[in-house]
Amino acid sequence: MSKNLGILAVLVVVFFTFGFLEDRFFLPGNLFNLIRWTALFGILSIGVSFVIITGGIDLSIGSVVGLSATLLPWFLAQHELSAPVALALVVIAALAIGLAHGLLITKLRLQPFVVTLCGLLVYRGLARTLTDDQVQGFGMGHSALRQIAKGMPCSLALLTALVGIGYLMWHSLRWVFPRTWRKGLLKTPGELLAIGCAALLGFGGLLIWALDAGELARIQAPAPFLILVVLAILAGVLLDRTVYGRHLRAFGRNETAARYSGLAVDRNVVIAYVLCALCSALAGVLFALDVNSVQPAIFGNFYELYAIAAAVLGGCSLRGGQGSILGVVVGTAVIQVLRNGISMLGIPDKLEFVILGAVILIGVAADEVIRRLVARRRLDARVRAAANATA
Amino acid sequence: MRLRFARALAPLLALALLLGVGACSKGNAGKIRVAYVTNGSVSFWTLAAAGAKKAGVDLGVDVDVRMPGDPTAQQRVIEELLNLGIDGIALSPIDGKNQAAMIDEACARTHFILHDSDAPGTKRRCFVGVDNYEAGRAAGKLVKEALPNGGKFQLFIGRLGQDNALKRCQGVIDEVFGWTFDPARVTGQDQVIQEGGFHFLGIRVDGFDEAQAKQLAEASLQQVPDLGCMVGLFAYNTPAILEALRDAGKLGQVKVVAFDEADASLQGILDGHVHGTVAQKPYEYGYESVRILKALKQGETDKLPADGFLRVPFTVVKQGSAQSFWDALKAQLAAAKSSG
Amino acid sequence: MSAWLEMREVRKSFPGAQVLRGVHLRLQRGEVLALLGENGAGKSTLMKILGGILRPDSGEILLEGAPLEIESVDDAREAGIALIHQELALADNLDVTANFFLGRELRRGLLLDEAGMERECSRWLARVGARFPARARVSTLSVGEQQLVEIAKALGQNARVLIMDEPTSSLSLAESEHLFALVGELRAKGVSIIYISHRLGEVTRLADRALVLRDGQVSGELARFELEHDRMVSLMVGREYQSSEQRRSHARAESALRIRGLVVRAHPEAKLDLEVRRGEIAGLAGLVGAGRTELLRALFGVEPALAGEIWVGGEPRRIRSPREAIAAGLGLVPEDRKEQGLFLEMAVRENVSLGAIARDARCGFLDFAAEQRLVQDSIAALRIRPPEAERLAGLLSGGNQQKVVLARWLSLAPQVLLLDEPTRGIDVGARQELYALIDELASRGMAILFASSEMEEVLHLADRVFVLAEGRLSGTLDRPELTEEAVMQLATRSFPRLSA
């Protein structure tokens, strides 16, 4: 939780710094774009965080994005399949990819780095071969389908209100049914703060929506953002409230002990890679529907690095076992705000990677330093308490 | 022991497999063999490859088309071709300045020409391509037509390293500001120029990432509310710009000038969202390159252009001519595919 | 009596604790001094100061009456003091000679003098009675052999004081015997030895004197004739201590675990048959490499058996993985607690509940309330200290970590609990607590099969002992016939005993 707070603070600071430097940054249109890109990349990051929590890595994300982004228009425009069939085929392809990764890693005991590196090459080549390297697109058609990526289902204020108030209601359920109330945890400052934030967002959003107040009320929620919110809630529940999530974390912390404890480790890991591939494919489809011009050779190149960077920035440890969905989503937002801000401020594009790299490095280093400081302070406090007790 | 033997055998088997596949694709001794090397594999190059192959059939030359996407891959392909003892190579260099050494070495070993993007100062025998500076100036003219009263404009491109990209940008800028004809002039990427009613706001480089291209276009629209004209200088830039405009609800309000002949760009012209495009003739690139390579091999230097620059004409496509241009293009592509 | 080596008023504190509060230590030439104390009493810290790894906050060290400045490991080595680490510090990808000379290689010109080094190394290896070549790769050596390399290395650097920290904790009985003989020889040659061990039997046998530490202070010094088990323990734990009474067996008639013709991977030529009844505590004894751990791992499906049948509670079971073992009603407290048993960076709560959450879950969703109940009950029942569910398991003491692992298994109520070296690295007080806990489990009808290298533990805890040798069951000893000699006899059957 404290990790999430840290990255949230970074997001707020970066966001307002850019806003302060360039007032157009806060324009509703720009915020809308920002949220949409965050949503698209966030889906990738959520997927990869499952893999990272197992202590693995997926380098094939960019290529899976490229392949699925290529396949959808290829099925639709070239082969004139119906949308449901095309989507189903893309999902099947992603399932097969994730299964292949997972099985190679668990059953053949190959290293995730190697397996997914080969995947990176194979899927890119596959996308290029299938389409004969031709640019894929939907042209002017499939506008209904493209609503999935381009639609604006509701106002952002309403969505925020629903999420915030939903969180509060779920919390109050725990009071109504104390059997499911996790004793002691509510007292942690992190949880209280989360409730505070939820209340602020929920009622703030509700107020803005109800009063139809100004610019803010008119910002629409991009459809991908709605997808991200749903996905993040599902992923968060899966990770923190199910046996699967607990077992996944345990496996990431200590693989040997997990085996000795009789966990179905292989199955869990396979599922993690399947989830990652599915998320990548979902994002790929959304990217394609949004951008509408897919060059099989380059589409999605290096996106795995954005996803991994966001996950790490959001508190995942590449050693495994650690990470939260909220942190990962916020981490993605930080990266997207940086990219957007850099181009809004007219900072030369050449510098983009320098700034991104530096911020991620500083973020991760600061987290480590703070962690040690806190540990040190706790230790000192214990010493003092012990000294007082003996004195 | 036996396992270790099997492990040693596996790479050998793989190698044998590769060699076998390689051997099968060999054939046709005696004929002139030339290679046509592109800088990527988008549909533009499919057309060019079709032209090259057609020339091969017409002129009785074996044409090997290769489509490496980055300088390293280009170098590898060139080295391989040289080692195969190829009779001639036509290359579209990605980064002509820095590939000069490689180009000169290849010139020493075979008949070597460049197409699409030139590398001035090298020993290449000939350059086949559009004069990018002139094409840029043509696009600049389109900008001036689109903005009769002047205004703000911005350029969008994938890479700046290659000669054609630089010349293209410079041509646009020089024409809009009415500067003299000087292909050697270089205006900085982030320079801002305000002169005679026009306001140049710099060049946005996306590093060949379509999503990033769209993101940059969106950011520009947010940042500069009174942007007059967006110029997409690589084939995919204009489709990305159009998507960004569509999302922002500014289709038709902000003028667009395109380069090349992406479907979305042509559709944009038909819909009136794009003022016009400067289309190259990739088919001609391929055809002419092979023709010149054959001439070089046979020592018929009189068939070469005097200044070593075979100018392939470009066409300016506007609303009136878009439909017929597109139909012709489709026919060409269909023919290329059925033959290729 | 003036001492040859003396440490005076040594104090040291770390953030969080004052570890040494004015310790005084004297050592004569050619003396074996046992250094005793529970974990955390300050033994290791004191020895790290003497070995130059740590600097004391205050205090002085005298050698032959003259002050000695030890500021680094090099200083200590210079003074002839060598520390044989608890975790051996050899580079196991190199050979013995390379390790022997690591950091002070002999040269001839610019090149290494390989032949010279090998000669020198062989000489010292012979002196400590090593029977492996100087060119053997360290990774192929047993722990005992690696220890000999360390000792030879120290002697080769002219060590006059050897500090041995738990030297027998990973040794087989035969290797231990060899070490004891070596200690005797070195003493006779005038080398002084500071011997740290939890195994009080060894101390009685070897030491000339014992210094007992408790909470960073000397709680007592015992001369040779005072080295009695209960007396040492009393000084260590700080209260009067009496060995527990002989355990009463809780064994019932019904079979809990029966194996027939079991073949484990490490010993494919041997077949194992044995049976443990409900409520019975059965011990697995044997030398290192006799196949105790392998048998437990095969039973639990970690390294599935190659052949053989397993019955749990009278029913035949196929066990190919830990999951199947758990389903069959088995549990395993593994040998390496930190690596195989615990999730050190996870909370006690998550460690304890890991087994039961799947059972208590509703449609895959965690039941946090049930988890909380289970964890609180376990903490209370097993007296896990401190009783904090959210504390990270890695921050607990060894004994409490072991209780956490036990708690996880108890939550699944297995019919048979397998324990591999259940008290390794756990201090005396906590051991007694674990023994009581195991006894209580047996009294409730759980069958226990434990492997242990510690004779005292086997003799104290087991109703019946299966002795393994070279992967075979060389004999079964019931209570009346259970003596140290009988176990050793069976354990060393079929290969010649090393000279003691």
Side-chain angles (χ1 to χ4, degrees):
Chain A
M1 199 62 218
S2 60
K3 248 186 173 158
N4 290 348
L5 280 180
I7 185 68
L8 206 61
V10 171
L11 177 64
V12 170
V13 168
V14 172
F15 185 75
F16 283 101
T17 309
F18 279 126
F20 175 73
L21 293 173
E22 165 69 65
D23 21 322
R24 297 193 178 282
F25 183 79
F26 283 144
L27 284 181
N30 194 51
L31 295 181
F32 175 84
N33 289 338
L34 201 52
I35 291 168
R36 205 178 71 240
W37 290 110
T38 299
L40 291 171
F41 281 98
I43 293 168
L44 292 180
S45 305
I46 287 177
V48 80
S49 52
F50 279 96
V51 165
I52 290 179
I53 283 170
T54 69
I57 193 94
D58 192 341
L59 298 179
S60 71
I61 291 172
S63 291
V64 176
V65 167
L67 181 63
S68 52
T70 308
L71 283 180
L72 186 68
W74 189 63
F75 286 143
L76 288 175
Q78 302 249 326
H79 293 265
E80 291 173 353
L81 299 177
S82 72
V85 174
L87 284 172
L89 287 176
V90 171
V91 168
I92 288 168
L95 266 175
I97 287 172
L99 263 179
H101 288 173
L103 292 175
L104 286 170
I105 287 161
T106 55
K107 299 299 175 195
L108 264 187
R109 303 273 154 123
L110 301 183
Q111 286 166 348
F113 192 99
V114 177
V115 170
T116 56
L117 180 67
C118 296
L120 177 152
L121 300 170
V122 170
Y123 313 137
R124 178 65 61 193
L126 218 56
R128 297 180 57 179
T129 312
L130 284 176
T131 58
D132 202 14
D133 249 330
Q134 298 305 299
V135 178
Q136 303 294 313
F138 307 94
M140 293 296 112
H142 298 286
S143 51
L145 186 60
R146 293 190 62 200
Q147 284 303 306
I148 299 175
K150 314 203 72 156
M152 292 179 252
C154 65
S155 84
L156 186 62
L158 181 62
L159 185 62
T160 316
L162 285 176
V163 172
I165 292 171
Y167 184 77
L168 290 179
M169 281 174 63
W170 174 72
H171 253 284
S172 52
L173 270 185
R174 304 208 303 188
W175 290 93
V176 178
F177 303 106
R179 212 177 85 78
T180 56
W181 176 47
R182 196 157 143 208
K183 206 170 117 197
L185 253 183
L186 203 64
K187 290 171 200 146
T188 65
E191 186 116 331
L192 283 177
L193 209 105
I195 290 178
C197 286
L200 193 73
L201 287 175
F203 293 114
L206 194 65
L207 214 62
I208 292 172
W209 176 69
L211 297 179
D212 200 11
E215 294 270 87
L216 275 175
R218 282 200 292 280
I219 303 180
Q220 294 293 301
F225 186 62
L226 194 65
I227 295 175
L228 178 78
V229 168
V230 172
L231 191 69
I233 291 172
L234 289 178
V237 167
L238 184 63
L239 203 54
D240 292 329
R241 314 201 68 85
T242 65
V243 175
Y244 171 75
R246 180 72 65 82
H247 282 184
L248 203 66
R249 277 184 199 281
F251 174 82
R253 290 288 191 190
N254 186 342
E255 185 178 339
T256 316
R259 286 187 197 281
Y260 273 84
S261 305
L263 310 189
V265 288
D266 287 359
R267 194 183 64 201
N268 293 347
V269 170
V270 171
I271 292 175
Y273 281 91
V274 167
L275 288 176
C276 183
L278 284 175
C279 284
S280 307
L282 172 62
V285 163
L286 292 173
F287 271 117
L289 290 170
D290 185 5
V291 177
N292 195 13
S293 157
V294 181
Q295 290 193 41
I298 57 171
F299 200 88
N301 254 349
F302 297 125
Y303 283 9
E304 59 276 350
L305 299 186
Y306 285 116
I308 293 167
V312 169
L313 198 55
C316 287
S317 161
L318 290 183
R319 278 185 287 265
Q322 222 174 336
S324 81
I325 296 300
L326 183 62
V328 166
V329 171
V330 177
T332 312
V334 169
I335 291 180
Q336 292 308 317
V337 166
L338 278 170
R339 291 182 77 186
N340 177 266
I342 286 167
S343 80
M344 289 295 287
L345 280 183
I347 297 172
D349 308 310
K350 293 165 272 198
L351 271 176
E352 182 191 321
F353 285 166
V354 177
I355 296 174
L356 268 183
V359 167
I360 294 169
L361 199 61
I362 292 169
V364 175
D367 174 60
E368 188 63 25
V369 169
I370 290 170
R371 200 178 59 80
R372 285 189 199 169
L373 278 180
V374 168
R376 175 82 204 201
R377 267 215 341 242
R378 267 192 211 141
L379 210 60
D380 287 350
R382 289 232 313 272
V383 175
R384 250 176 282 125
N388 290 342
T390 50
Chain B
M1 194 59 217
R2 210 190 295 159
L3 201 76
R4 202 179 287 171
F5 178 65
R7 277 166 76 176
L9 210 58
L12 283 177
L13 276 174
L15 194 67
L17 198 72
L18 282 176
L19 288 176
V21 171
C24 290
S25 59
K26 279 258 171 73
N28 290 355
K31 268 164 126 185
I32 294 179
R33 289 184 306 132
V34 302
Y36 186 70
V37 185
T38 71
N39 73 9
S41 47
V42 292
S43 52
F44 180 86
W45 290 120
T46 312
L47 282 174
K53 285 190 179 138
K54 182 69 171 39
V57 174
D58 291 355
L59 306 171
V61 176
D62 253 6
V63 180
D64 188 356
V65 177
R66 303 286 185 97
M67 299 185 164
D70 62 80
T72 322
Q74 284 197 329
Q75 173 142 14
R76 215 184 54 219
V77 165
I78 298 292
E79 281 166 4
E80 283 168 11
L81 291 169
L82 289 174
N83 289 337
L84 286 171
I86 198 109
D87 296 316
I89 300 174
L91 168 75
S92 166
I94 290 170
D95 180 3
K97 253 185 230 150
N98 295 311
Q99 288 172 309
M102 177 192 82
I103 292 169
D104 283 346
E105 197 208 326
C107 291
R109 293 177 60 181
T110 189
H111 300 287
F112 194 89
I113 65 171
L114 299 178
H115 62 94
D116 178 46
S117 179
D118 198 6
T122 58
K123 298 197 183 82
R124 49 102 181 133
R125 294 295 297 274
C126 183
F127 170 59
V128 177
V130 78
D131 186 325
N132 273 294
Y133 183 72
E134 280 177 17
R137 290 200 80 117
K141 260 193 208 98
L142 289 173
V143 174
K144 284 203 283 194
E145 286 173 23
L147 298 176
N149 303 320
K152 297 181 174 172
F153 71 103
Q154 211 165 20
L155 310 187
F156 296 83
I157 201 161
R159 286 195 279 241
L160 267 182
Q162 56 205 66
D163 188 61
N164 61 352
L166 283 168
K167 289 245 166 67
R168 224 175 259 183
C169 292
Q170 200 57 49
V172 178
I173 296 165
D174 289 3
E175 179 67 28
V176 171
F177 290 118
W179 293 347
T180 52
F181 191 93
D182 177 10
R185 190 184 288 128
V186 175
T187 302
Q189 179 190 347
D190 308 308
Q191 216 165 318
V192 172
I193 304 167
Q194 198 165 7
E195 212 177 290
F198 284 100
H199 194 163
F200 168 64
L201 294 175
I203 307 168
R204 292 283 181 214
V205 183
D206 55 62
F208 249 172
D209 177 340
E210 287 160 304
Q212 171 77 349
K214 186 181 174 212
Q215 250 171 311
L216 289 174
E218 285 176 352
S220 287
L221 287 173
Q222 290 301 327
Q223 190 190 10
V224 189
D226 54 343
L227 191 60
C229 180
M230 303 166 90
V231 187
L233 288 176
F234 275 9
Y236 64 85
N237 283 116
T238 301
I241 290 170
L242 287 172
E243 285 302 322
L245 284 172
R246 188 164 291 128
D247 289 355
K250 288 185 169 177
L251 271 178
Q253 290 172 36
V254 180
K255 304 292 178 198
V256 179
V257 169
F259 221 96
D260 295 339
E261 51 287 306
D263 286 354
S265 306
L266 294 172
Q267 187 63 48
I269 296 177
L270 290 176
D271 296 344
H273 301 144
V274 177
H275 180 71
T277 186
V278 177
Q280 307 180 64
K281 296 188 165 172
Y283 189 87
E284 313 288 322
Y285 282 18
Y287 199 98
E288 291 301 314
S289 296
V290 171
R291 187 179 66 79
I292 289 188
L293 282 174
K294 188 192 177 197
L296 278 170
K297 173 68 185 170
Q298 293 178 334
E300 300 162 352
T301 40
D302 52 313
K303 286 190 181 168
L304 289 173
D307 61 349
F309 186 175
L310 187 80
R311 284 180 179 74
V312 178
F314 52 83
T315 25
V316 175
V317 182
K318 289 197 264 188
Q319 200 158 22
S321 56
Q323 193 59 57
S324 56
F325 175 85
W326 201 358
D327 291 342
L329 189 72
K330 279 178 185 160
Q332 228 174 18
L333 200 58
K337 275 193 180 147
S338 63
S339 73
Chain C
M1 177 171 80
S2 79
W4 175 65
L5 177 79
E6 195 169 354
M7 296 177 84
R8 277 189 190 159
E9 279 296 303
V10 177
R11 291 171 192 278
K12 175 78 186 172
S13 46
F14 292 116
Q18 191 172 7
V19 180
L20 296 176
R21 311 159 185 246
V23 173
H24 208 101
L25 178 148
R26 291 175 304 129
L27 184 67
Q28 304 295 345
R29 295 209 68 169
E31 181 185 37
V32 177
L33 173 69
L35 190 58
L36 305 177
E38 294 197 64
N39 286 349
K43 301 175 308 246
S44 295
T45 309
L46 187 66
M47 289 304 102
K48 280 179 182 161
I49 289 172
L50 189 57
I53 296 169
L54 293 174
R55 303 274 312 273
D57 297 341
S58 66
E60 57 182 343
I61 301 174
L62 304 170
L63 184 65
E64 295 175 329
L68 182 66
E69 285 298 320
I70 298 182
E71 307 207 333
S72 68
V73 178
D74 282 333
D75 288 347
R77 195 185 293 157
E78 198 76 357
I81 299 166
L83 187 60
I84 312 291
H85 287 275
Q86 203 167 357
E87 290 96 16
L88 298 171
L90 296 174
D92 62 2
N93 55 336
L94 299 178
D95 65 18
V96 172
T97 306
N99 271 289
F100 190 87
F101 282 101
L102 204 62
R104 50 182 197 105
E105 286 80 2
L106 303 183
R107 294 209 189 106
R108 188 186 289 162
L110 282 175
L111 302 174
L112 290 175
D113 179 9
E114 290 288 352
M117 288 198 288
E118 185 175 344
R119 239 186 350 262
E120 177 78 358
C121 179
S122 299
R123 202 158 65 80
W124 286 104
L125 287 179
R127 196 162 296 185
V128 299
R131 295 184 302 175
F132 47 86
R135 281 297 171 196
R137 193 169 276 269
V138 167
S139 55
T140 64
L141 301 181
S142 74
V143 179
E145 290 170 330
Q146 293 187 29
Q147 206 165 50
L148 289 181
V149 176
E150 287 255 30
I151 294 171
K153 188 176 168 183
L155 296 175
Q157 294 174 24
N158 204 16
R160 291 179 292 171
V161 180
L162 279 185
I163 303 166
M164 297 185 174
D165 195 352
E166 298 260 11
T168 56
S169 65
S170 310
L171 296 196
S172 66
L173 289 171
E175 284 176 327
S176 299
E177 286 299 331
H178 185 90
L179 182 77
F180 300 156
L182 181 61
V183 166
E185 279 170 38
L186 293 173
R187 168 168 52 190
K189 286 179 186 154
V191 177
S192 305
I193 289 164
I194 299 178
Y195 194 94
I196 302 176
S197 180
H198 284 303
R199 301 187 177 177
L200 300 179
E202 294 172 13
V203 171
T204 309
R205 195 169 147 188
L206 285 177
D208 299 314
R209 211 151 51 81
L211 187 70
V212 188
L213 295 186
R214 191 174 71 243
D215 296 333
Q217 283 168 314
V218 175
S219 63
E221 230 181 301
L222 298 170
R224 171 127 194 87
F225 62 87
E226 297 170 312
L227 296 176
E228 291 156 9
H229 181 271
D230 289 1
R231 198 155 170 185
M232 289 189 273
V233 174
S234 299
L235 283 174
M236 284 161 70
V237 299
R239 56 185 147 80
E240 277 305 305
Y241 174 86
Q242 288 240 286
S243 302
S244 48
E245 298 284 299
Q246 193 67 306
R247 275 191 56 254
R248 228 185 49 234
S249 171
H250 311 290
R252 306 175 192 183
E254 316 92 275
S255 160
L257 174 73
R258 189 152 75 88
I259 62 177
R260 205 167 69 194
L262 198 77
V263 180
V264 303
R265 278 175 199 213
H267 300 281
E269 70 290 342
K271 286 187 173 169
L272 289 166
D273 303 270
L274 56 83
E275 180 167 10
V276 183
R277 290 172 293 157
R278 295 193 61 204
E280 185 175 39
I281 303 182
L284 276 174
L287 308 176
V288 167
R292 290 168 301 177
T293 297
E294 289 78 1
L295 171 57
L296 293 183
R297 284 160 64 88
L299 280 174
F300 197 62
V302 180
E303 264 167 30
L306 298 176
E309 292 157 89
I310 302 173
W311 284 267
V312 180
E315 283 181 43
R317 291 291 195 161
R318 208 181 81 106
I319 296 178
R320 313 292 308 165
S321 70
R323 285 175 69 72
E324 289 178 348
I326 292 166
L330 300 181
L332 171 69
V333 176
E335 184 180 15
D336 186 340
R337 194 161 50 236
K338 295 187 175 172
E339 194 46 46
Q340 301 164 339
L342 280 176
F343 302 87
L344 296 174
E345 295 140 315
M346 293 175 88
V348 168
R349 169 177 56 81
E350 291 163 304
N351 269 287
V352 168
S353 67
L354 193 66
I357 44 172
R359 181 194 60 202
D360 296 342
R362 288 163 300 181
C363 317
F365 287 90
L366 295 171
D367 182 342
F368 288 111
E371 180 186 24
Q372 206 63 41
R373 272 197 307 276
L374 168 69
V375 174
Q376 293 306 342
D377 291 351
S378 300
I379 288 176
L382 277 72
R383 291 182 294 278
I384 293 171
R385 293 286 171 272
E388 295 166 14
E390 296 306 320
R391 174 168 283 251
L392 295 187
L395 299 177
L396 298 183
S397 70
N400 283 298
Q401 287 182 340
Q402 196 69 307
K403 289 184 200 166
V404 169
V405 179
L406 264 174
R408 184 189 311 149
W409 288 117
L410 299 187
S411 72
L412 293 176
Q415 295 185 50
V416 182
L417 188 61
L418 313 171
L419 301 125
D420 199 355
E421 301 288 355
T423 60
R424 170 172 291 176
I426 292 174
D427 57 34
V428 177
R431 267 176 203 214
Q432 297 304 326
E433 223 179 329
L434 279 172
Y435 293 156
L437 203 62
I438 292 171
D439 182 63
E440 193 194 322
L441 294 175
S443 75
R444 282 194 251 142
M446 195 179 286
I448 311 274
L449 180 61
F450 75 98
S452 176
S453 314
E454 296 193 31
M455 195 59 85
E456 265 180 70
E457 187 165 291
V458 173
L459 297 180
H460 169 69
L461 208 52
D463 300 324
R464 191 196 307 192
V465 176
F466 302 105
V467 186
L468 300 182
E470 292 181 338
R472 279 171 234 273
L473 185 62
S474 67
T476 305
L477 296 168
D478 282 322
R479 253 282 137 81
E481 44 200 52
L482 189 54
T483 62
E484 188 167 349
E485 290 71 33
V487 173
M488 276 308 290
Q489 202 75 47
L490 288 170
T492 54
R493 216 163 87 171
S494 81
F495 61 82
R497 268 188 89 164
L498 295 168
S499 58

